[in-house]
């Protein structure tokens, strides 16, 4: 499956953005989906994950209550709604697909995902 992330940009602190990740192929609904981010000079970190059917989600503590992950399997797209953005949310955001559900460790693990999008930059100004 090929993934294309979009929706990044420059926003002021407290603002909102919605990232999208469009997948090609007919097997999108077979994959759990995740979002990761890589702040400047830091390692890639887990943001959120959603199960293949969309019924279960998991969030990093740093974004819980501010970010919402959803998916539309009919449109082969996953969405990350980001509200109350903070400067520390500045990063390149990546979407990923894999078979990870059932283990919190796998859901949050960079190495657990098989396919990655190219990344979209989110910059939050103070």
């Amino acid at each position: 499956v090929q993934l294309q992330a979009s929706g990044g940009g420059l926003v002021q602190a407290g603002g909102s953005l919605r990232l999208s990740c469009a997948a090609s192929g007919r097997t999108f609904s077979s994959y759990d989906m995740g979002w990761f981010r890589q702040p400047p000079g830091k390692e890639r970190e887990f943001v959120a994950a959603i199960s293949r059917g969309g019924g279960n989600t998991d969030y990093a503590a740093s974004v819980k209550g501010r970010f919402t992950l959803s998916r539309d399997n009919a449109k082969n797209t996953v969405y990350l709604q980001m509200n109350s953005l903070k400067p520390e949310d500045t990063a390149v955001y990546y979407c990923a697909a894999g078979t990870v559900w059932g283990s919190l460790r796998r859901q949050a693990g960079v190495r657990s995902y098989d396919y990655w999008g190219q990344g979209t930059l989110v910059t939050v100004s103070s």
Side-chain angles (χ1 to χ4, degrees):
V1 62
Q2 292 183 324
L3 304 175
Q4 179 75 34
S6 62
L10 174 64
V11 64
Q12 288 188 334
S16 299
L17 281 175
R18 188 177 81 157
L19 305 184
S20 299
C21 178
S24 63
R26 296 175 291 178
T27 60
F28 175 72
S29 61
S30 300
Y31 291 98
D32 306 311
M33 297 295 295
W35 281 94
F36 290 76
R37 66 187 182 186
Q38 188 162 11
K42 297 184 179 181
E43 294 186 351
R44 196 169 298 190
E45 61 185 27
F46 172 73
V47 175
I50 189 166
S51 59
R52 64 202 66 180
N56 296 286
T57 52
D58 182 28
Y59 297 92
S62 58
V63 306
K64 193 171 292 185
R66 300 188 296 122
F67 290 12
T68 302
L69 184 55
S70 61
R71 67 189 294 164
D72 185 339
N73 285 345
K75 295 183 178 180
N76 281 11
T77 303
V78 62
Y79 304 99
L80 182 67
Q81 178 66 43
M82 306 187 296
N83 298 328
S84 302
L85 283 162
K86 304 175 181 179
E88 52 263 44
D89 293 319
T90 294
V92 177
Y93 283 71
Y94 298 90
C95 59
T99 305
V100 302
W101 213 261
S103 164
L104 292 177
R105 180 179 179 182
R106 284 184 55 77
Q107 288 160 202
V110 171
R111 297 183 178 181
S112 302
Y113 292 79
D114 302 310
Y115 304 97
W116 290 83
Q118 85 288 1
T120 185
L121 177 62
V122 172
T123 303
V124 184
S125 63
S126 57

